[in-house]
Short mmCIF file of all heavy atoms in Angstrom, two decimals:
data_model
loop_
_atom_site.label_atom_id
_atom_site.label_comp_id
_atom_site.label_asym_id
_atom_site.label_seq_id
_atom_site.Cartn_x
_atom_site.Cartn_y
_atom_site.Cartn_z
N LEU A 155 29.37 71.82 40.01
CA LEU A 155 28.59 73.05 39.91
C LEU A 155 28.31 73.62 41.29
O LEU A 155 28.21 74.89 41.46
CB LEU A 155 27.26 72.80 39.16
CG LEU A 155 27.40 72.54 37.65
CD1 LEU A 155 26.02 72.37 37.03
CD2 LEU A 155 28.19 73.58 36.96
N ILE A 156 28.05 72.77 42.27
CA ILE A 156 27.84 73.27 43.64
C ILE A 156 29.10 73.98 44.19
O ILE A 156 29.03 75.02 44.79
CB ILE A 156 27.40 72.15 44.54
CG1 ILE A 156 26.02 71.65 44.13
CG2 ILE A 156 27.39 72.56 46.01
CD1 ILE A 156 25.54 70.46 44.92
N LEU A 157 30.19 73.42 43.85
CA LEU A 157 31.50 73.99 44.35
C LEU A 157 31.82 75.28 43.73
O LEU A 157 32.54 76.11 44.25
CB LEU A 157 32.66 72.97 44.11
CG LEU A 157 32.51 71.64 44.87
CD1 LEU A 157 33.74 70.79 44.58
CD2 LEU A 157 32.43 71.85 46.37
N GLN A 158 31.30 75.55 42.46
CA GLN A 158 31.62 76.78 41.79
C GLN A 158 30.30 77.57 41.54
O GLN A 158 30.16 78.23 40.50
CB GLN A 158 32.31 76.55 40.44
CG GLN A 158 31.56 75.56 39.49
CD GLN A 158 32.34 75.32 38.26
OE1 GLN A 158 32.86 76.24 37.62
NE2 GLN A 158 32.43 74.03 37.87
N VAL A 159 29.39 77.48 42.54
CA VAL A 159 28.12 78.12 42.36
C VAL A 159 28.15 79.64 42.24
O VAL A 159 27.30 80.28 41.67
CB VAL A 159 27.17 77.75 43.55
CG1 VAL A 159 27.61 78.43 44.83
CG2 VAL A 159 25.78 78.08 43.25
N GLY A 160 29.26 80.22 42.67
CA GLY A 160 29.45 81.72 42.48
C GLY A 160 29.93 82.10 41.15
O GLY A 160 30.01 83.25 40.81
N GLY A 161 30.30 81.12 40.31
CA GLY A 161 30.84 81.40 39.00
C GLY A 161 29.83 81.42 37.90
O GLY A 161 28.59 81.27 38.20
N GLN A 162 30.24 81.51 36.66
CA GLN A 162 29.28 81.56 35.51
C GLN A 162 28.43 80.33 35.43
O GLN A 162 27.21 80.40 35.24
CB GLN A 162 30.06 81.83 34.19
CG GLN A 162 30.71 83.20 34.17
CD GLN A 162 31.53 83.33 32.90
OE1 GLN A 162 32.09 82.34 32.32
NE2 GLN A 162 31.72 84.53 32.37
N ALA A 163 29.07 79.19 35.60
CA ALA A 163 28.36 77.90 35.42
C ALA A 163 27.32 77.72 36.55
O ALA A 163 26.23 77.23 36.37
CB ALA A 163 29.33 76.72 35.47
N GLY A 164 27.67 78.21 37.74
CA GLY A 164 26.76 78.13 38.84
C GLY A 164 25.49 79.01 38.65
O GLY A 164 24.36 78.55 38.91
N PHE A 165 25.69 80.24 38.14
CA PHE A 165 24.52 81.04 37.89
C PHE A 165 23.67 80.52 36.73
O PHE A 165 22.44 80.52 36.80
CB PHE A 165 25.01 82.49 37.52
CG PHE A 165 25.35 83.35 38.65
CD1 PHE A 165 26.66 83.86 38.80
CD2 PHE A 165 24.43 83.65 39.64
CE1 PHE A 165 26.97 84.61 39.89
CE2 PHE A 165 24.78 84.35 40.75
CZ PHE A 165 26.01 84.89 40.86
N LEU A 300 22.20 78.15 47.90
CA LEU A 300 23.19 78.05 46.91
C LEU A 300 23.51 79.46 46.26
O LEU A 300 24.68 79.80 46.10
CB LEU A 300 22.84 77.13 45.78
CG LEU A 300 22.93 75.59 46.03
CD1 LEU A 300 22.54 74.81 44.81
CD2 LEU A 300 24.33 75.18 46.56
N ILE A 301 22.46 80.24 46.02
CA ILE A 301 22.61 81.55 45.48
C ILE A 301 23.40 82.43 46.47
O ILE A 301 24.32 83.09 46.13
CB ILE A 301 21.27 82.20 45.16
CG1 ILE A 301 20.62 81.42 44.05
CG2 ILE A 301 21.41 83.62 44.87
CD1 ILE A 301 19.10 81.74 43.89
N ILE A 303 25.36 81.49 48.94
CA ILE A 303 26.76 80.99 49.13
C ILE A 303 27.64 81.40 48.01
O ILE A 303 28.80 81.77 48.19
CB ILE A 303 26.73 79.43 49.25
CG1 ILE A 303 26.13 79.06 50.64
CG2 ILE A 303 28.13 78.87 49.13
CD1 ILE A 303 25.69 77.57 50.64
N GLY A 304 27.08 81.45 46.79
CA GLY A 304 27.82 81.83 45.63
C GLY A 304 28.16 83.31 45.65
O GLY A 304 29.32 83.68 45.20
N ILE A 305 27.28 84.19 46.08
CA ILE A 305 27.45 85.62 45.95
C ILE A 305 27.97 86.26 47.24
O ILE A 305 28.78 87.18 47.22
CB ILE A 305 26.20 86.24 45.49
CG1 ILE A 305 25.76 85.70 44.07
CG2 ILE A 305 26.36 87.84 45.36
CD1 ILE A 305 24.49 86.23 43.60
N ARG A 397 34.99 80.19 51.71
CA ARG A 397 34.43 79.38 50.63
C ARG A 397 35.22 78.06 50.51
O ARG A 397 34.60 77.01 50.31
CB ARG A 397 34.51 80.12 49.29
CG ARG A 397 33.64 79.41 48.20
CD ARG A 397 34.10 79.97 46.82
NE ARG A 397 33.76 81.31 46.60
CZ ARG A 397 32.60 81.79 46.14
NH1 ARG A 397 31.69 80.91 45.82
NH2 ARG A 397 32.34 82.99 45.98
#
Side-chain angles (χ1 to χ4, degrees):
L155 290 185
I156 293 178
L157 297 181
Q158 54 181 315
V159 70
Q162 293 176 332
F165 280 119
L300 283 181
I301 294 166
I303 289 165
I305 301 177
R397 192 198 295 270

